[in-house]
Structure formats: structure tokens, C-alpha cells
Amino acid sequence: MPASKTTSPKTVLELHVNNHPGVMSHVCGLFSRRAYNVEGIACLPEGGGETSRIWLLVEDSNRLNQMVTQVTKLQDVHRVNRHPGNHQVFGQLRDIMTS
């Protein structure tokens, strides 16, 4: 009998970060070390390129508040906003990937 796959609600985290080499590694490494799966990643520089926005599509589990607290403590993270899992960034990426 095949294992049934359950789907959990998703959340999009929008991180405003400094834009320099290693920031994405620090953010993703934090999630990796805690075995917290990141299902989608999008990143774009903003303004003059000194800062970037990173969007992470993650499972909305009971550990998410702790993850947000820890990612907010990273030196290069200015702030974190939470959005519903149907945020337009990943909706538009899905449209591009399926066209």
C-alpha cells in the first residue's frame, strides 16, 4: 500500500536582507540545520542593490514561530513578514513553470 502524502498549510516568509555573498547561505543553512524544509525560494535585489528580498515557501507547522524568531536574529536580516501560502510570488512562478 503506498504511503499517503499529507499536505500541510503553507506560509510564505518575506525576508528583507542585506545583499552580499553568503546571505542566502546563512538563511538556508539555518533552515537546513533544523531540518525544516524550504519548498520554494525566490530572491531579487531591490532599490540600488544594497538590499534584497527573499521569499521562502515553507510548511506552516508548530515550529514556524521559532524559525521566524531565529531567522530574525541573523545579522543580515532586517525584517520578516509572513504571508499566506498562496502569495503571488509563488503563484506567478507556478504559472511560468507550467507554461
Side-chain angles (χ1 to χ4, degrees), residues 12-84:
V12 172
L13 301 179
E14 179 183 10
L15 287 65
H16 297 261
V17 300
N18 290 328
N19 182 13
H20 63 81
V23 174
M24 181 67 79
S25 176
H26 292 154
V27 170
C28 291
L30 186 145
F31 282 83
S32 175
R33 286 189 304 277
R34 286 149 182 85
Y36 203 103
N37 190 37
V38 175
E39 298 186 14
I41 300 172
C43 181
L44 284 173
E46 59 183 1
E50 294 179 5
T51 60
S52 292
R53 270 196 263 183
I54 300 172
W55 294 270
L56 303 173
L57 179 63
V58 297
E59 183 178 306
D60 191 358
S61 78
N62 58 358
R63 294 188 308 142
L64 186 56
N65 286 337
Q66 180 183 10
M67 293 302 298
V68 170
T69 298
Q70 291 176 347
V71 79
T72 303
K73 291 178 181 177
L74 292 176
Q75 182 177 1
D76 289 309
V77 175
H78 298 286
R79 70 177 187 273
V80 178
N81 298 323
R82 291 172 74 158
H83 302 283

